[in-house]
Amino acid sequence: MMNTERLIKHAIQTDPNVAITLCITKLDRLIHELRLPPKDAYFKLLFVIDQVNGIIKACGRVNGEKLSPLNGNVCFAAA
């Protein structure tokens, strides 16, 4: 998460109005390696999205759109 935080800070400092899209990868690991039940996997993903929203807010961007799959600015990927 350290690289993600540094990248978000740099992007917001460069252009405060930059549109941010979050891509959460390796979803297959939640199922195959961690063997999380669907409800736990949901809460894990929700936690990650909330963490990134917190980083964005900590960078001083309070008027920007929150990251959410419902807003179309979060995508998911798996191998």
Side-chain angles (χ1 to χ4, degrees):
M1 196 61 111
M2 191 73 143
N3 288 331
T4 303
E5 186 173 350
R6 188 172 54 223
L7 181 65
I8 290 171
K9 283 181 182 179
H10 179 70
I12 292 175
Q13 287 173 354
T14 304
D15 181 6
N17 297 319
V18 68
I20 297 175
T21 301
L22 175 65
C23 182
I24 299 176
T25 60
K26 301 182 181 180
L27 288 181
D28 53 320
R29 292 189 67 208
L30 292 176
I31 299 164
H32 295 296
E33 290 179 23
L34 299 177
R35 300 187 189 277
L36 290 179
K39 194 173 192 178
D40 291 342
Y42 169 79
F43 285 116
K44 174 68 175 169
L45 294 172
L46 188 63
F47 176 74
V48 169
I49 294 169
D50 285 342
Q51 273 189 315
V52 175
N53 278 325
I55 293 169
I56 292 170
K57 189 174 180 180
C59 290
R61 186 174 177 183
V62 292
N63 296 337
E65 188 175 315
K66 288 187 79 170
L67 296 178
S68 170
L70 297 175
N71 293 338
N73 53 14
V74 176
C75 65
F76 303 95

